Amino acid sequence: MKFFLAPAKNMRPAPAAAGRPLQRPRFQREADRLAEDLRRYSAWELEGLLRVNSSIAWRAFSDYQSFSSAGPGSPALLAYSGLAYTHLAPDSFTPEDLAFAENRLFILSALYGLLGPSDEIFPHRLELQIPYRYQGQTLYQFWGEKPCRALFSGGETVVNLASAEYARLILPFLQRGERLIQCVFCEYRGRRRVTLPTFAKMARGAMARFIIRRRLTDARQLWDFQAFGYAFVPGFSDEERYVFVRREEG
């Protein structure tokens, strides 16, 4: 069983774990092409393109100017800083946890396409839904089916723990016989079931940690997941959609 997360907007430098050398991302050439193209934008152009404030735009400008040339990068698993990654808490993983996560946990990326835990990456700011075009292509068009084909190359069941924005890199390219399970985290507002982004991000990171720490290899073992008031509801679920409903804790 494999599973994938979305990246976080914020990044941090992080050393590789002892005994786990950094790997070259499988789509490094594509990432280099995008980074080289983005290097030609000024900071004020990036501010509008990335839809960020001037401080973030200047940081993005600096990152693209020095992309992949300023010393060693960071392992993808440790490089992101956001709600999902706070609750994944990879800094606390043991060597055995990291070994289990390798070739099972993947991170989708607008710049790198698909990343493994030990892939060496560099600071960048890029999201799939911005109005950026590379040679006339949106980022979805640029990546096409490459991330999906790489993810399903071994024929395993794959669990979607990403946001809709990033799951769109995978969903349109599923082929017959490929099994993708979407984990849905929701709660009631009146009679409606809704997904609250903050709690959903927390739950996705916690579920990824749950898989790694418990060494789960069968998707049905996900039914035992409980955190932040979420619990699996069989009556709302099917073979391709596992629904977890949150009730207020306490």
Side-chain angles (χ1 to χ4, degrees):
M1 180 177 73
K2 297 178 180 178
F3 54 104
F4 62 85
L5 291 164
K9 292 180 182 179
N10 295 321
M11 301 185 69
R12 59 176 184 167
R20 303 204 66 82
L22 294 173
Q23 306 293 323
R24 177 181 169 87
R26 70 190 67 209
F27 298 125
Q28 182 67 61
R29 285 183 297 179
E30 288 86 345
D32 288 341
R33 287 164 56 195
L34 292 175
E36 180 64 29
D37 188 60
L38 286 159
R39 186 178 290 132
R40 66 189 175 88
Y41 286 86
S42 67
W44 69 265
E45 287 174 321
L46 287 174
E47 184 176 348
L49 183 68
L50 302 177
R51 299 168 176 168
V52 296
N53 62 38
S54 58
S55 176
I56 295 174
W58 272 106
R59 190 181 313 129
F61 173 78
S62 177
D63 288 340
Y64 282 121
Q65 296 306 305
S66 62
F67 186 78
S68 76
S69 64
S74 302
L77 182 61
L78 303 178
Y80 293 106
S81 177
L83 273 177
Y85 292 88
T86 295
H87 294 280
L88 174 61
D91 289 327
S92 68
F93 283 166
T94 66
E96 293 76 20
D97 293 332
L98 294 171
F100 181 85
E102 205 69 46
N103 300 317
R104 291 182 175 89
L105 168 61
F106 293 87
I107 300 168
L108 298 176
S109 167
L111 186 69
Y112 288 94
L114 185 71
L115 292 163
S118 298
D119 285 354
E120 181 182 29
I121 66 174
F122 293 87
H124 61 276
R125 181 84 177 208
L126 193 65
E127 296 175 59
L128 289 170
Q129 294 181 330
I130 63 171
Y132 170 67
R133 298 290 185 275
Y134 177 82
Q135 297 183 353
Q137 294 181 309
T138 68
L139 287 168
Y140 289 111
Q141 293 167 336
F142 174 84
W143 285 113
E145 66 175 358
K146 288 180 181 178
C148 184
R149 297 279 58 82
L151 194 59
F152 281 92
S153 60
E156 300 98 329
T157 294
V158 176
V159 178
N160 173 13
L161 296 176
S163 62
E165 174 186 358
Y166 282 88
R168 279 182 58 195
L169 280 176
I170 305 300
L171 296 176
F173 305 104
L174 290 175
Q175 296 181 356
R176 179 173 295 182
E178 293 176 339
R179 187 185 182 202
L180 179 70
I181 298 172
Q182 180 180 3
C183 289
V184 178
F185 300 98
C186 56
E187 61 186 81
Y188 279 100
R189 284 293 181 265
R191 295 185 178 182
R192 295 189 306 118
R193 291 200 307 270
V194 300
T195 294
L196 299 183
T198 295
F199 280 102
K201 290 177 183 178
M202 293 163 58
R204 290 170 189 144
M207 179 169 278
R209 182 177 180 83
F210 178 75
I211 293 170
I212 293 167
R213 295 304 301 273
R214 296 204 179 190
R215 310 289 191 265
L216 304 188
T217 58
D218 187 325
R220 290 172 295 183
Q221 294 172 301
L222 300 178
W223 299 351
D224 294 329
F225 175 78
Q226 294 186 27
F228 316 114
Y230 287 110
F232 178 67
V233 181
F236 298 156
S237 304
D238 56 37
E239 288 298 311
E240 297 179 349
R241 193 168 184 265
Y242 290 177
V243 177
F244 297 80
V245 175
R246 178 176 176 267
R247 293 176 174 81
E248 293 291 342
E249 297 177 290

